[in-house]
Amino acid sequence: DFRLTAFLLIPIFLVLLVKKMRTKWNNILTYLNVFYMFVLTSVYITDAAYYGYLKSRVNSTILQFFKNPIISMQMVQESYPWPLFIVITLTISALTYVIFKKIILTKIHEEPSSFKKSIPGLFIFTAIWGWSIYGNFSAYPLRWSEAFNSPNNFTSNLGLNPVLYLFDTYSFRNADYNEQEVRKNYHLVANFLGVKDLDEKNLNFVR
C-alpha cells in the first residue's frame, strides 16, 4: 500500500515543485485525485468480489472477461449488488473532490517556510518515500511472492495490494511452458511422476 501511494504521488509532487504551476493546475490536481480514487475504489471493489467468488486476489486473468463483455456483464448483474458498487465508487470520488478542493488546495497555497527550515522535513519525507517504493530492508526490493510466506492462504492473500498485483501479473498473463526445457528434462520428470508409458516425442505424462 505504501508503494502504491508513493507511485501515485509522483505526478502531484512534480506539479507542486513549480510554484507557478500550483495555481494554474488547481483543477488538474483535483480531477487527477478524483480519477485516482475512482480507479482505486473500482479495483478494490472488484478485488473483493473476485476473492469472494474465486478465493483469489484479482489478477491479469480478469482481462479475459472483456473478450465477452456482454456475457461477463450479465454474470456481474446476476451475482453481485452492482448498483451498490457504483454508489460506493461515486460517493468516494465525490468526497475526494470536496476534501481536495476545500482542504488540501488551501494548504497547498499557504506561503511555504524558508528552504533551510524545510530541509530536515524534506529529507525525512524523501527517505520514507524512497523506502516505500523499495519496500524492503534487504538487498532486493519487495516482491509480491513474499506475501505467500504464511501457511494460511487467507493471510497470504491479505498481504497483496490488488492494484500492484494486477500490474505484476500482467507481464506473464500469457506465460506458457518452455517445450525445449521440458524435452531436455522429460525423463527426470516422468520418472519422478511414475509415468510407465514413456513417450518423449509426444511428451506423455499420463500415469
Side-chain angles (χ1 to χ4, degrees):
D1 293 337
F2 275 130
R3 176 180 287 178
L4 176 63
T5 303
F7 280 131
L8 295 178
L9 286 174
I10 292 176
I12 297 174
F13 287 147
L14 291 177
V15 173
L16 295 180
L17 283 175
V18 183
K19 187 175 181 180
K20 292 181 179 179
M21 294 175 64
R22 295 180 185 180
T23 304
K24 187 184 296 185
W25 286 42
N26 274 357
N27 290 332
I28 294 178
L29 283 175
T30 302
Y31 290 119
L32 178 62
N33 280 276
V34 171
F35 174 74
Y36 278 166
M37 291 308 301
F38 180 84
V39 173
L40 291 177
T41 305
S42 299
V43 173
Y44 274 87
I45 289 176
T46 303
D47 177 59
Y50 192 90
Y51 185 84
Y53 186 67
L54 297 174
K55 302 303 178 187
S56 174
R57 300 301 293 269
V58 66
N59 53 67
S60 60
T61 58
I62 197 174
L63 298 177
Q64 67 184 343
F65 295 115
F66 290 100
K67 295 179 180 179
N68 297 294
I70 298 177
I71 296 176
S72 299
M73 191 60 195
Q74 183 179 355
M75 185 275 289
V76 170
Q77 291 175 345
E78 294 175 352
S79 306
Y80 301 105
W82 60 271
L84 177 62
F85 293 165
I86 294 176
V87 170
I88 292 174
T89 304
L90 294 178
T91 301
I92 292 177
S93 299
L95 287 173
T96 302
Y97 176 85
V98 173
I99 292 172
F100 199 86
K101 200 79 172 177
K102 300 296 184 181
I103 301 176
I104 299 179
L105 282 181
T106 303
K107 294 292 183 180
I108 288 175
H109 293 299
E110 289 181 355
E111 191 65 29
S113 56
S114 64
F115 180 73
K116 289 184 178 180
K117 292 182 179 180
S118 302
I119 289 178
L122 183 62
F123 176 79
I124 294 173
F125 174 81
T126 303
I128 295 174
W129 179 78
W131 176 82
S132 298
I133 291 180
Y134 192 76
N136 215 338
F137 290 106
S138 65
Y140 300 98
L142 183 67
R143 300 169 180 171
W144 63 265
S145 56
E146 294 184 44
F148 290 91
N149 289 330
S150 172
N152 185 284
N153 186 56
F154 176 78
T155 302
S156 296
N157 278 285
L158 191 64
L160 295 171
N161 180 283
V163 179
L164 296 178
Y165 188 56
L166 183 63
F167 279 98
D168 287 339
T169 56
Y170 183 80
S171 59
F172 54 87
R173 66 194 185 285
N174 296 321
D176 201 357
Y177 70 95
N178 188 320
E179 184 175 342
Q180 185 177 354
E181 288 295 319
V182 174
R183 293 189 182 281
K184 180 181 176 181
N185 298 283
Y186 173 77
H187 289 283
L188 177 65
V189 177
N191 290 332
F192 175 79
L193 295 175
V195 178
K196 295 182 179 180
D197 187 16
L198 297 177
D199 186 355
E200 185 176 351
K201 181 179 179 180
N202 296 315
L203 296 178
N204 177 43
F205 290 103
V206 178
R207 292 183 286 184

